């Protein structure tokens, strides 16, 4: 009876050691997988035997913080990418191609022309400076539209990925809940489920709720269900084209809008939230500033009626293709920057006369300031040059000063964009660092340490060897006993 008990003990010990060694091998194999959580082998001894149960290391708090950090990093990164594109395209005040720099060049050209009003070459320089400024504002507006279109396309891509991940998550979650009910090893399925959650959090801010049977429901960070017993449909209709001041379509989760001003439960983080902010807030605000600059130029260079008939002022050097002059301080010229051009009446390339810059009359004799055609007349040129430095009202919707000169407004606009970019860059760096620290802490808590696993494997191998020796000794004793009986 003693030898039989010893034999059973040695055999169960060998079996337990083999199971533990297998777990150690699994850990070593998964050491380089960022989604792999360490397996822990628990040995339970009862009735002279032993059994091994495998559990998975987990830290719910750290994992939840990692999901939040992933969402916040993706969101701020999306905003930063768009702002960097705008910044590279239309530059800052030091760039010779920026609207602020073009305004400065035009101001200098007008002053030079005013000092020598009979020079057609100086007048031509001023007109070309105006053309460059109009082209700069138009290119800037086009860049804004491109960034908005790219953000819209990015939202469509993110929605498609979310739906794919939710389908995969449903399969993984069913595997976990079914295996948990049957008492199977579901550690691999848990790894897969956490991997999907991490990837999902890149696209949309999420929170999770663990329920009975190891079932996990997913909600957006604003509380809209994404997965609850089943995947919810996430939909988005891409915007065909953007006009100035317009907003794109909203992302819908099970029919509830989660982006846009009309959303009752807007997303706070994730790539979709960042792209939505870029598309409908930051880019729109900047285009509003560009349109305000364009409207200010049309108004500053407008030609007043000189006939005494009391006719309204009409667009002069700068126009959007019509004779309309925007009302001061009223943001009624949405999209004006993209339509801005120089008046054909003063453009030599279109058969216009450079003399109209000095004399006026781009809108006919009733708007001519220099009726005598005096070649030394510089009054209008000086008026135009001073108009660039004269304060004028701007709509508060621009987010800049309500009263400023065109020159200072353009400089402030470039500074605003750079300030937005720097703020986004600082936030992205902070959130990226915080995510890295959280990921490191989670890895330390639930990840695999290859050195520890190697040491554990060596210890288990020694235990296995000892059990094997005991089994051999019992076998020899039983053989000796049987030989004596014979």
């Amino acid at each position: 009876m003693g030898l039989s008990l010893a034999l059973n003990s040695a055999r169960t010990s060998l079996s337990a050691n083999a199971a533990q060694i297998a777990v150690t091998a699994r850990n070593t194999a998964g050491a380089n997988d960022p989604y792999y959580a360490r397996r822990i082998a628990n040995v339970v001894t009862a009735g002279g035997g032993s059994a091994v149960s495998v559990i998975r290391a987990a830290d719910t708090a750290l994992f939840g913080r990692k999901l939040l950090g992933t969402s916040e990093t993706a969101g701020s990164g999306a905003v930063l990418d768009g702002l960097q594109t705008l910044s590279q395209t239309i530059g800052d005040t030091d760039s010779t191609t920026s609207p602020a720099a073009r305004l400065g060049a035009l101001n200098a050209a007008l002053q030079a022309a005013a000092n020598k009003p009979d020079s057609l070459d100086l007048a031509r320089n001023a007109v070309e400076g105006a053309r460059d400024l109009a082209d700069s504002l138009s290119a800037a507006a086009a860049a804004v539209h491109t960034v908005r279109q790219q953000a819209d396309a990015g939202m469509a891509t993110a929605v498609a990925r979310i739906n794919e991940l939710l389908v995969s998550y449903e399969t993984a979650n069913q595997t976990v809940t079914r295996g948990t009910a049957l008492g199977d090893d579901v550690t691999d399925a848990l790894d897969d489920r956490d991997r999907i959650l991490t990837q999902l959090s890149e696209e949309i801010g999420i929170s999770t709720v663990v329920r009975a049977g190891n079932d996990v429901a997913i909600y957006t960070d604003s509380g809209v269900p994404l997965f609850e017993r089943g995947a919810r449909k996430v939909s988005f209709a891409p915007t065909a084209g953007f006009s100035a001041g317009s907003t794109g379509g909203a992302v819908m989760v099970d029919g509830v809008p989660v982006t846009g001003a009309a959303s009752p439960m807007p997303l706070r983080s994730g790539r979709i939230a960042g792209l939505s902010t870029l598309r409908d807030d930051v880019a729109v605000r900047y285009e509003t500033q560009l349109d305000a600059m364009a409207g200010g130029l049309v108004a500053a260079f407008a030609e007043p009626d000189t006939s005494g008939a009391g006719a309204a002022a009409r667009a002069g050097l700068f126009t959007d293709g019509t004779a309309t002059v925007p009302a001061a301080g009223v943001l009624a010229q949405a999209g004006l920057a993209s339509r801005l051009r120089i008046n054909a009446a003063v453009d030599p390339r279109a058969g216009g006369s450079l003399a109209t810059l000095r004399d006026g009359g781009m809108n006919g004799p009733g708007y001519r300031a220099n009726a005598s055609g005096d070649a030394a007349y510089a009054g209008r040129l000086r008026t135009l040059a001073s108009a660039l430095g004269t304060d004028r009202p701007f709509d508060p919707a621009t987010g800049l000063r309500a009263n400023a000169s065109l020159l200072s407004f353009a400089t402030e606009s470039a500074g605003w964009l750079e300030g937005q970019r720097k703020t986004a860059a600082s936030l992205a760096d902070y959130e990226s660092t915080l995510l890295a620290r959280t990921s490191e802490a989670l890895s330390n808590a639930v990840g695999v340490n290859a050195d520890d696993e190697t040491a554990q494997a060596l210890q288990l191998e020694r235990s296995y060897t000892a059990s094997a020796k005991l089994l051999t000794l019992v076998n020899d004793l039983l053989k000796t006993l049987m030989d004596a009986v014979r």
Side-chain angles (χ1 to χ4, degrees), residues 57 99 103 144 167 182 190 204 215 225 251 289 332 349 359 367 371 374:
L103 267 170
V144 171
V167 171
L182 296 174
L190 289 170
I204 187 170
D215 179 37
V251 174
Q289 296 170 8
R349 300 183 189 179
D359 302 334
Y367 291 85
D374 183 3

Side-chain angles (χ1 to χ4, degrees), residues 237-414:
T239 308
F242 285 97
S243 58
S246 66
T247 56
V251 174
M252 313 286 285
V253 177
D254 206 18
V256 178
V258 293
T259 62
S263 171
M265 305 173 77
L267 296 174
R268 297 190 294 268
S269 60
R271 184 174 288 111
I272 285 179
L275 290 173
S276 177
T277 299
L278 176 66
R279 185 193 67 177
D280 296 334
D281 184 6
V282 178
V284 171
R285 177 64 58 86
Y286 191 76
E287 187 173 20
T288 297
Q289 296 170 8
L290 295 174
D291 287 339
M293 275 187 270
L297 285 170
V298 174
F301 286 83
E303 289 187 335
D305 173 43
T306 58
S307 67
R314 297 170 69 89
L317 178 59
F318 291 98
T319 176
D320 65 347
T322 69
T324 304
V325 178
V330 178
L331 198 65
Q333 60 276 6
L336 181 55
S338 61
R339 303 190 303 272
L340 191 67
R341 67 191 73 168
I342 61 172
N343 200 316
V346 75
D347 185 4
R349 300 183 189 179
S353 172
L354 290 171
T356 57
L357 180 66
R358 178 195 65 196
D359 302 334
M362 298 177 195
N363 293 284
Y367 291 85
R368 187 177 176 88
N370 183 21
S372 64
D374 183 3
Y377 176 75
R380 176 156 176 78
L381 289 171
R382 295 190 190 284
T383 299
L384 295 178
S386 64
L388 293 176
T390 301
D391 283 356
R392 64 181 57 254
F394 288 96
D395 193 281
T398 62
L400 303 179
R401 282 193 296 165
N403 285 280
S405 68
L406 279 166
L407 286 168
S408 61
F409 186 88
T411 301
E412 288 180 14
S413 178

Side-chain angles (χ1 to χ4, degrees), residues 55-338:
I55 62 174
R56 177 176 175 268
D59 191 315
T60 303
L62 279 177
F63 183 67
R65 188 63 189 83
K66 179 184 177 181
L67 293 180
L68 176 60
T70 301
S71 297
E72 291 178 339
T73 301
S76 60
V79 174
L80 177 60
D81 288 345
L83 285 171
Q84 285 178 331
T85 299
L86 287 177
S87 182
Q88 292 168 0
T89 304
I90 51 186
D92 53 30
T93 54
D94 295 329
S95 171
T96 58
T97 60
S98 70
R102 297 293 194 192
L103 267 170
L106 175 60
N107 183 51
L110 286 171
Q111 290 178 349
N115 292 333
K116 195 174 181 182
D118 60 338
S119 172
L120 288 180
D121 287 338
L122 292 178
R124 180 177 288 104
N125 289 341
V127 170
E128 290 303 318
R131 189 195 312 278
D132 290 341
L133 175 57
D135 290 345
S136 175
L137 287 172
S138 180
V144 171
H145 289 172
T146 298
V147 167
R148 297 189 70 196
Q149 198 66 57
Q150 290 174 343
D152 193 77
M155 292 172 70
T157 301
V159 167
R161 189 183 184 213
I162 288 171
N163 284 318
E164 292 175 358
L165 289 172
L166 287 175
V167 171
S168 299
Y169 181 83
E170 184 168 11
T171 301
N173 192 62
Q174 287 175 352
T175 302
V176 170
T177 54
R178 185 166 50 247
T180 300
L182 296 174
D184 295 338
D185 182 358
V186 296
T187 54
D188 289 339
L190 289 170
D191 283 347
D192 191 41
R193 193 169 69 176
D194 283 359
R195 173 186 59 80
I196 296 171
L197 286 173
T198 303
Q199 294 174 348
L200 188 63
S201 67
E202 294 176 0
E203 308 299 339
I204 187 170
I206 61 173
S207 62
T208 58
V209 176
V210 180
R211 300 189 297 195
N214 225 351
D215 179 37
V216 173
I218 310 174
Y219 300 87
T220 67
D221 57 10
S222 57
V224 180
L226 270 175
F227 181 91
E228 201 173 43
R229 308 294 182 188
R232 302 300 173 88
K233 179 65 176 177
V234 183
S235 59
F236 175 71
T239 308
F242 285 97
S243 58
S246 66
T247 56
V251 174
M252 313 286 285
V253 177
D254 206 18
V256 178
V258 293
T259 62
S263 171
M265 305 173 77
L267 296 174
R268 297 190 294 268
S269 60
R271 184 174 288 111
I272 285 179
L275 290 173
S276 177
T277 299
L278 176 66
R279 185 193 67 177
D280 296 334
D281 184 6
V282 178
V284 171
R285 177 64 58 86
Y286 191 76
E287 187 173 20
T288 297
Q289 296 170 8
L290 295 174
D291 287 339
M293 275 187 270
L297 285 170
V298 174
F301 286 83
E303 289 187 335
D305 173 43
T306 58
S307 67
R314 297 170 69 89
L317 178 59
F318 291 98
T319 176
D320 65 347
T322 69
T324 304
V325 178
V330 178
L331 198 65
Q333 60 276 6
L336 181 55
S338 61

